[in-house]
Structures are given as structure tokens and as C-alpha cells.
């Protein structure tokens, strides 16, 4: 009786640390295995950059710089990847003149499948009274000549999807400076953007 009572406790005490160590090892191995699989998939897929560009752009609308005009452009996104797709959330777009933001707005969310080209029509309203007097004079002179040297910048949060894996990234694109005409009919110019994807 006393024997059978005495024997169980030591075995229980001996087993418990063994079990927790086993569980810890299994969990560790699973984590390492998962990381390894992710790394292998990542290396096998090697996501390529997105390529943003701008097809025609123009500035239309009222007369003045601090007035009522609109910057139109066609933003083109090319996804050269075979296995990577993108889910864009809001993309903020702005058009600057000599470093001053003159127009801004955003593009509605869209999904870009693999090996796809998507073109988005962008209309940016004018930012009120943004130019200093000197810049405003220069802008007016360029408008009188028919074109203004503008730069377009786009920044968008997105999800990058590789199979079942999804990672958050930010895409930034800088386009120009390039000549933007004040007539819609003359607005056909192709501009490649410097496109980057960052964390
Ligand atoms: C622009 O507006 C000014 C007054 O604000 C006017 O004198 C001028 O004629 C206008 N120019 C054009 C091209 O509409
Ligand atoms: C701006 O344009 C809109 C429509 O094109 C017009 O209704 C409005 O009066 C204009 N505002 C100014 C300040 O010119
Ligand atoms: C445009 O710029 C203004 C002023 O910087 C900012 O308040 C606004 O949120 C911007 N709009 C968009 C759509 O990014
Ligand atoms: C790109 O994807 C969009 C959205 O799924 C689709 O509407 C469009 O037709 C695709 N374009 C090409 C060239 O495959």
C-alpha cells in the first residue's frame, strides 16, 4: 500500500518537465520550418518591381493659378510578376510645380492581378493659393507659352500577395518633371516614373 502510494509522484514529477520541453522543441521546430518555407517561397518567387508611368496629362480649367483648374492624367501600373499580385489601398497623387504642391487627390482602391496592366484616370483638383508671388508669375508665363513643367508623385499603401501569403508594402513613384500642356488635345506624352516598393 505504502509502496504503491509512494511510487506515482516521482514519475509525474519526472514526466512534466520532459513534456514541456518536448512541446517547446516541437513549437520551435514548427516556427523554424514555417520561416524556412516562407524564405524558400520568397526566393523562388523573387517579386519584381511595379512599373508606374503616366500617359497623357493636361491642366484644364479656369485661368488663374489659385483658381479652379484640374490636373488630369492617366496613371498606368504594370505588374510584370507571374506569381505576385497587388491590392492597392488608397493611392495619394500630387502634382507639384517647382517643389510646390499645386494639385492633389487620391485614386480609389484597386486590385492588380499577375502580369497585368491597369490604367487609372486621375483628376486632381487644385490646392488653393499654393504658389508664392514669384512662382505664380513663372507659372503664368509658362501657361501663356502652353506648357508647365510639373512633377507627379504617387504614394500608395498596398498588400503584396504571393500565394496565400500577404505582406504590407508602400509604393512610391516620382514622375518628371515634364511638360504638361494646358490643352487636353495636346496631352499625349509618356513619362516613366521612378517606382519603388518599401516597407
Ligand atoms: C484670366 O483672368 C484675368 C482676371 O482674373 C483676366 O483679366 C484674363 O483675361 C483671364 N485670361 C484668360 C485666358 O481667361
Ligand atoms: C469653378 O468651376 C465650377 C464648375 O466648373 C464653377 O461652377 C465655379 O463657379 C468656378 N469657380 C471659380 C472661382 O471660378
Ligand atoms: C491634399 O492636400 C491637402 C493639403 O496638404 C490635404 O489636406 C489633403 O488631405 C490632400 N488631399 C488628398 C486627397 O490627399
Ligand atoms: C488588369 O486587371 C484589371 C482588374 O482585374 C482588369 O480589369 C483588366 O482588364 C486587366 N488588364 C489586362 C491587360 O489584363
Amino acid at each position: 500500500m505504502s509502496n504503491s502510494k509512494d511510487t506515482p509522484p516521482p514519475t509525474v514529477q519526472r514526466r512534466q518537465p520532459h513534456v514541456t520541453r518536448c512541446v517547446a522543441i516541437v513549437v520551435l521546430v514548427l516556427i523554424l520550418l514555417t520561416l524556412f518555407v516562407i524564405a524558400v517561397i520568397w526566393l523562388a518567387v523573387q517579386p519584381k518591381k511595379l512599373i508606374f508611368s503616366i500617359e497623357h496629362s493636361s491642366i484644364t480649367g479656369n485661368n488663374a493659378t489659385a483658381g479652379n483648374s484640374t490636373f488630369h492624367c492617366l496613371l498606368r501600373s504594370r505588374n510584370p510578376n507571374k506569381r505576385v499580385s497587388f491590392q492597392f489601398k488608397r493611392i495619394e497623387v500630387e502634382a507639384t510645380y517647382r517643389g510646390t504642391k499645386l494639385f492633389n487627390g487620391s485614386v480609389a482602391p484597386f486590385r492588380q492581378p499577375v502580369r497585368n496592366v491597369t490604367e487609372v484616370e486621375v483628376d486632381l483638383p487644385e490646392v488653393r493659393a499654393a504658389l508664392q508671388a514669384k512662382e505664380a508669375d513663372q507659372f503664368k508665363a509658362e501657361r501663356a507659352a502652353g506648357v508647365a513643367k510639373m512633377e507627379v508623385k504617387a504614394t500608395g499603401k498596398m498588400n503584396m500577395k504571393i500565394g496565400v501569403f500577404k505582406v504590407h508594402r508602400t509604393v512610391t513613384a516620382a514622375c518628371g518633371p515634364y511638360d504638361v500642356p494646358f490643352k487636353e488635345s495636346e496631352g499625349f506624352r509618356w513619362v516613366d516614373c521612378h517606382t519603388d516598393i518599401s516597407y
Side-chain angles (χ1 to χ4, degrees):
M1 276 269 268
S2 68
N3 247 2
S4 60
K5 252 185 196 170
D6 285 349
T7 27
T11 42
V12 168
Q13 265 172 2
R14 225 179 286 143
R15 221 174 255 159
Q16 220 138 22
H18 184 68
V19 166
T20 33
R21 201 189 302 155
C22 246
V23 168
I25 288 170
V26 166
V27 167
L28 193 70
V29 165
L30 280 179
I31 289 171
L32 288 176
L33 212 69
T34 310
L35 289 177
F36 178 73
V37 167
I38 290 173
V40 165
I41 289 173
W42 190 262
L43 287 175
V45 169
Q46 282 287 5
K48 287 186 205 123
K49 269 188 180 184
L50 278 166
I51 302 147
F52 275 23
S53 56
I54 287 181
E55 289 174 62
H56 71 257
S57 39
S58 63
I59 299 169
T60 58
N62 278 3
N63 194 351
T65 44
N68 214 359
S69 49
T70 306
F71 184 96
H72 310 275
C73 66
L74 192 66
L75 184 67
R76 184 179 187 270
S77 174
R78 186 161 85 81
N79 175 11
N81 292 286
K82 240 193 302 186
R83 294 190 186 84
V84 184
S85 67
F86 297 90
Q87 176 89 54
F88 293 97
K89 297 167 189 172
R90 220 165 112 102
I91 301 180
E92 312 260 328
V93 185
E94 62 181 54
T96 60
Y97 176 74
R98 291 176 189 260
T100 304
K101 180 165 75 184
L102 277 195
F103 303 89
N104 77 335
S106 61
V107 172
F110 65 95
R111 207 180 82 77
Q112 184 156 37
V114 298
R115 289 211 161 146
N116 173 270
V117 173
T118 296
E119 292 177 338
V120 191
E121 231 14 284
V122 183
D123 290 327
L124 307 175
E126 192 169 342
V127 177
R128 293 227 158 244
L131 287 180
Q132 305 288 312
K134 198 181 126 217
E135 290 173 322
D137 287 345
Q138 285 169 334
F139 188 79
K140 272 180 195 160
E142 287 188 32
R143 193 186 61 227
V147 293
K149 259 220 170 10
M150 305 289 297
E151 192 173 358
V152 174
K153 286 178 191 153
T155 310
K157 300 260 183 238
M158 62 171 188
N159 279 323
M160 208 154 107
K161 269 185 76 184
I162 305 166
V164 295
F165 298 105
K166 219 190 224 184
V167 282
H168 296 282
R169 288 291 184 274
T170 299
V171 61
T172 52
C175 329
Y178 66 104
D179 287 340
V180 178
F182 285 84
K183 278 187 191 145
E184 221 158 348
S185 55
E186 289 169 14
F188 207 91
R189 278 151 222 239
W190 183 293
V191 180
D192 279 321
C193 305
H194 187 277
T195 316
D196 266 326
I197 293 175
S198 58
Y199 290 85

